[in-house]
Amino acid sequence: MRIPITLACERYDRTEALRDGRVRPAGVDLTYLPQQVEETFFRMARFREFDAAEMSLSSYVITLTRDAPFIAIPVFPSRLFRHSGIYVSAASGIREPADLIGKHVGVAEYQLTANVWIRGILADEYGVPVESVTYRTGGLHQPGRPEKLKVHLPPAVRVEPIGPRQTLSEMLATGEIDAVYTPRTPESFTRGDSGVRRLFDPSRPAEEDYFRRTGIFPIMHVVVLRRDVYERNRWLARSLHDAFEQAKTLCAEGIDETAAARYLLPWLHDEVARTRAVLGADYWPYGLEKNLAVLRTFLRYSYDQGLAARRLEPAELFAPETLESTLV
């Protein structure tokens, strides 16, 4: 008899085999709910609606230092460099990272993983202390967005909500705020508003240089199980972990094949070669060992920025069943 498990997760090429049934986790009758990440994160963090879900790494770390309602497996469905997530208003006078000091910066939520990375990178690499700006929180495109989890920040970190009818995207365009840190592209930038630009433009050279110097390809999301689900059947952690690995392997097979175009990218083979030249052949690893450096950096940022109640070690994040394998 298979255990019914509901998994809420965005649709990704690396998880598609789980969604369409080509990969079936051992012992599991999986229902894959494809939905936008903001909805999944909010519903899982607030109401714990799903047996398993993709989750913001930052929100998960916060919960782990509180009541720990979830347990993660070392699977990372989303990774992205975040220099490209810093947008500035033309009216702000910001030309380089140091110009952010003393400015008003919009963040949909202070706790968002992308924003933790951006603040950490700006502090480590460009001398912009976390507490050197005033953060304005609220919806990027829709008014009234709250923090999905309550945060208790140190007094030196200044966070002020925007108005109940305001959005960060439009405030950036009008110059009411100086910059926005965001994982999602502001509509004002997408529509080509002349008052909005990226701070790092183009961003790829800065992101490639960052990887060459640090070896860090930032992790955005993990996969979590509700702890009560995990405790009833602890083997689920390893079963899901192995299934995610299989799905990623299927996705990677033939990604640079030129016999027929699998995706709407005519030079995908060339892009794959360029990516491997910079990041290495195994540039999207799952598991703990290959991700120790990136996780340690993020956990330091989370603690230093006042989010995590204590500084965790990477192994504390994951079900122990996923960290060891049988040897014959």
Side-chain angles (χ1 to χ4, degrees), residues 145-158:
R145 178 171 174 173
E147 295 273 356
K148 67 180 75 64
L149 295 170
K150 288 185 178 180
V151 295
H152 308 287
L153 303 176
V157 177
R158 298 181 302 279

Side-chain angles (χ1 to χ4, degrees), residues 121-156:
I121 290 169
L122 286 171
D124 277 359
E125 305 288 321
Y126 300 99
V128 181
V130 171
E131 66 276 9
S132 68
V133 309
T134 298
Y135 300 98
R136 303 295 307 279
T137 59
L140 183 66
H141 298 143
Q142 295 175 294
R145 178 171 174 173
E147 295 273 356
K148 67 180 75 64
L149 295 170
K150 288 185 178 180
V151 295
H152 308 287
L153 303 176

Side-chain angles (χ1 to χ4, degrees), residues 87-96 99-105 171-180 195-197 199:
Y87 298 83
V88 298
S89 167
S92 69
I94 297 171
R95 294 290 177 267
E96 57 186 37
D99 296 334
L100 288 161
I101 295 173
K103 297 296 195 291
H104 286 249
V105 176
M171 291 177 73
L172 184 67
T174 59
E176 295 174 84
I177 53 177
D178 301 301
V180 168
V196 179
R197 65 177 182 84
L199 177 59

Side-chain angles (χ1 to χ4, degrees), residues 51 54 133 190-191 319 322:
D51 299 311
E54 177 181 11
V133 309
T190 303
R191 69 176 179 241
T322 64

Side-chain angles (χ1 to χ4, degrees), residues 5-230:
I5 292 293
T6 299
L7 168 70
C9 188
E10 183 67 89
R11 283 191 66 170
Y12 299 113
D13 57 357
R14 49 215 171 263
T15 61
E16 187 65 7
L18 282 167
R19 191 197 66 82
D20 66 23
R22 283 176 292 153
V23 171
R24 299 176 68 187
V28 172
D29 181 10
L30 186 69
T31 298
Y32 190 117
L33 295 178
Q35 54 191 28
Q36 200 171 63
V37 292
E38 289 92 343
E39 179 176 359
T40 296
F41 297 170
F42 181 84
R43 291 170 63 182
M44 192 62 161
R46 284 290 185 92
F47 308 113
R48 306 174 190 177
E49 292 184 45
F50 315 108
D51 299 311
E54 177 181 11
M55 178 170 269
S56 152
L57 175 59
S58 178
S59 296
Y60 172 60
V61 168
I62 292 171
T63 68
L64 205 58
T65 60
R66 295 181 184 176
D67 56 346
F70 312 111
I71 186 71
I73 61 177
V75 163
F76 313 110
S78 180
R79 305 177 82 127
L80 279 167
F81 293 99
R82 286 308 187 187
H83 293 68
S84 57
I86 306 171
Y87 298 83
V88 298
S89 167
S92 69
I94 297 171
R95 294 290 177 267
E96 57 186 37
D99 296 334
L100 288 161
I101 295 173
K103 297 296 195 291
H104 286 249
V105 176
V107 291
E109 298 178 45
Y110 182 85
Q111 73 186 276
L112 293 186
T113 306
N115 295 337
V116 176
W117 278 113
I118 289 170
R119 290 189 296 264
I121 290 169
L122 286 171
D124 277 359
E125 305 288 321
Y126 300 99
V128 181
V130 171
E131 66 276 9
S132 68
V133 309
T134 298
Y135 300 98
R136 303 295 307 279
T137 59
L140 183 66
H141 298 143
Q142 295 175 294
R145 178 171 174 173
E147 295 273 356
K148 67 180 75 64
L149 295 170
K150 288 185 178 180
V151 295
H152 308 287
L153 303 176
V157 177
R158 298 181 302 279
V159 178
E160 303 170 359
I162 61 176
R165 295 182 179 84
Q166 293 178 305
T167 66
L168 297 176
S169 176
E170 295 310 309
M171 291 177 73
L172 184 67
T174 59
E176 295 174 84
I177 53 177
D178 301 301
V180 168
Y181 302 163
T182 174
R184 188 171 290 278
T185 307
E187 289 176 351
S188 52
F189 179 84
T190 303
R191 69 176 179 241
D193 193 305
S194 61
V196 179
R197 65 177 182 84
R198 281 193 171 103
L199 177 59
F200 294 91
D201 187 20
S203 56
R204 181 163 183 164
E207 292 172 345
E208 288 187 356
D209 177 67
Y210 172 74
F211 179 82
R212 289 190 184 99
R213 289 184 295 100
T214 67
I216 292 174
F217 182 12
I219 291 170
M220 297 293 122
H221 306 161
V222 292
V223 173
V224 301
L225 282 156
R226 268 202 348 256
R227 192 169 290 271
D228 62 302
V229 173
Y230 164 72

